[in-house]
């Protein structure tokens, strides 16, 4: 069988609700690698919060972080990496415009440096993975370089209102996606970026055509990736809009949904 590129979202997809890779899924992915298939991660997380899984699977491929804003190769510094941050002036315009709405916090990430507008222990616990440098305080004062991504935390009702505003006012310069429960966070990256852009860059480098890409996801930041892949697979726990465009729907992230499809598609035992 010709080599396929297997693309894995992390949260709600590769990872169980306990933030682990199940034994069966890990065994299946390692078997796929042994048979010559390529396995990669495409996530909204920064690399510092995804490297543990990259190393657990023994990957040697590039990785897509920040939903496509940072595409790089952890094992090859000479690889043609792509880092596409948001212009600082755009970030300041967005922050100024959402100040008229109710939100709980704003967080900016510059690669592995984090800027948190309002101190919040829960947010700090979530973003502390990988021991980043954290700066607390007014973003307009402390943030002085183009961020890789911008995050706005608000309750569910206000998140929808803010997303409507972002779409109406800033659609020409940014893309925005939502995180799933329990935190209602709007994630913003530069216009034109998504996981599919990063995967296309990697697949071209690996010499694997689109029709031999199998991608797995569950949330709205996976929409373009699932649509782009030759075989786009929505997890059983995925959102309805993702299931509507997927080629296949598998079982949930807690039921070895990835392993089920790969065993069938790649004739693994």
């Amino acid at each position: 069988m010709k080599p396929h590129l297997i693309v894995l979202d992390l949260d709600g997809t590769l990872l169980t609700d306990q933030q682990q890779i199940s034994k069966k899924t890990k065994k299946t992915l390692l078997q796929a690698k042994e048979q010559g298939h390529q396995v990669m991660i495409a996530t909204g997380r920064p690399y510092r919060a995804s490297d543990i899984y990259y190393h657990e699977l023994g990957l040697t491929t590039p990785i897509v972080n920040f939903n496509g804003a940072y595409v790089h190769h952890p094992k090859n510094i000479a690889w043609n990496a792509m880092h596409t941050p948001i212009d600082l002036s755009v970030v300041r315009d967005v922050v100024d415009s959402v100040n008229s709405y109710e939100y709980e916090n704003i967080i900016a990430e510059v690669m592995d440096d984090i800027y948190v507008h309002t101190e919040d222990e829960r947010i700090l616990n979530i973003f502390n993975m990988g021991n980043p440098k954290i700066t607390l305080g007014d973003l307009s004062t402390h943030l002085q370089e183009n961020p890789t991504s911008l995050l706005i935390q608000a309750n569910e009702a206000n998140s929808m209102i803010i997303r409507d505003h972002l779409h109406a006012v800033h659609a020409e310069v940014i893309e925005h996606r939502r995180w799933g429960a329990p935190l209602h966070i709007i994630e913003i990256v530069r216009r034109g970026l998504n996981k599919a852009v990063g995967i296309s860059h990697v697949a071209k480098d690996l010499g694997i055509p689109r029709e031999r890409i199998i991608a797995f996801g569950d949330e709205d930041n996976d929409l373009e990736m699932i649509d782009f892949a030759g075989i786009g697979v929505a997890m059983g726990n995925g959102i309805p809009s993702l299931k509507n465009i997927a080629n296949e729907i598998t079982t949930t992230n807690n039921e070895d949904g990835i392993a089920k499809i790969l065993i069938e598609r790649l004739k693994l035992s």
Side-chain angles (χ1 to χ4, degrees), residues 197-256:
V197 173
I199 293 163
S200 175
H201 183 62
V202 173
K204 194 175 296 183
D205 181 71
L206 294 174
I208 296 178
R210 187 171 170 180
E211 61 267 21
R212 294 207 307 270
I213 298 174
I214 307 175
F216 296 86
D218 72 308
E219 267 290 348
D220 76 344
N221 64 339
D222 298 314
L223 285 164
E224 292 88 355
M225 173 176 82
I226 296 303
D227 188 51
F228 172 79
I231 304 166
V233 185
M235 306 302 290
N237 51 290
I239 60 173
S241 56
L242 194 73
K243 291 178 178 178
N244 287 341
I245 65 166
N247 300 106
E248 294 199 33
I249 300 171
T250 189
T251 50
T252 73
N253 61 316
N254 295 318
E255 300 170 310
D256 295 306

Side-chain angles (χ1 to χ4, degrees), residues 6-203:
I6 301 162
V7 187
L8 310 167
D9 169 52
L10 288 179
D11 299 283
T13 302
L14 175 65
L15 305 181
T16 65
D17 291 349
Q18 287 71 46
Q19 299 289 290
Q20 295 175 338
I21 305 173
S22 75
K23 288 181 180 178
K24 183 175 180 179
T25 293
K26 183 176 178 179
K27 177 186 175 184
T28 302
L29 288 167
L30 293 178
Q31 190 179 2
K33 284 175 59 189
E34 286 170 7
Q35 294 196 7
H37 302 294
Q38 300 280 0
V39 178
M40 69 172 289
I41 290 170
T43 178
R45 292 186 183 209
Y47 180 63
R48 68 174 189 279
S50 48
D51 64 340
I52 182 174
Y53 307 111
Y54 184 93
H55 294 301
E56 182 178 350
L57 292 174
L59 301 185
T60 56
T61 45
I63 183 171
V64 175
N65 290 115
F66 293 107
N67 290 322
Y70 184 37
V71 186
H72 60 113
H73 198 315
K75 299 280 182 74
N76 182 5
I77 58 172
W79 192 78
N80 185 24
M82 299 192 307
H83 180 222
T84 317
I86 317 167
D87 192 273
L88 188 57
S89 63
V90 171
V91 171
R92 288 179 171 156
D93 285 346
V94 169
V95 172
D96 286 345
S97 73
V98 300
N99 274 332
S100 56
Y101 298 91
E102 287 188 44
Y103 64 85
E104 295 169 30
N105 218 331
I106 301 180
I107 303 103
E109 297 185 272
V110 182
M111 301 291 273
D112 286 324
D113 293 342
I114 299 176
Y115 296 82
V116 181
H117 196 67
T118 305
E119 186 170 0
D120 180 320
E121 189 173 338
R122 189 182 185 195
I123 284 292
L124 293 177
N125 286 339
I126 289 172
F127 287 88
N128 204 35
M129 191 173 185
N131 297 314
K133 177 187 172 187
I134 298 177
T135 303
L136 298 173
D138 192 330
L139 290 188
S140 61
T141 302
H142 296 289
L143 183 63
Q144 297 297 323
E145 58 183 310
N146 299 339
T148 312
S149 73
L150 184 72
L151 307 166
I152 301 172
Q153 180 191 10
N155 65 36
E156 189 169 8
N158 287 327
S159 287
M160 294 300 296
I161 294 169
I162 293 170
R163 286 195 73 183
D164 287 344
H165 165 78
L166 293 173
H167 183 72
V169 179
H170 302 287
E172 292 184 0
V173 288
I174 62 169
E175 305 279 355
H176 54 93
R177 295 285 184 266
R178 71 176 181 89
W179 285 16
L183 283 182
H184 296 286
I185 286 183
I186 304 161
E187 182 168 357
I188 298 168
V189 294
R190 188 165 169 170
R191 175 73 178 167
L193 294 178
N194 54 63
K195 291 182 181 181
V197 173
I199 293 163
S200 175
H201 183 62
V202 173

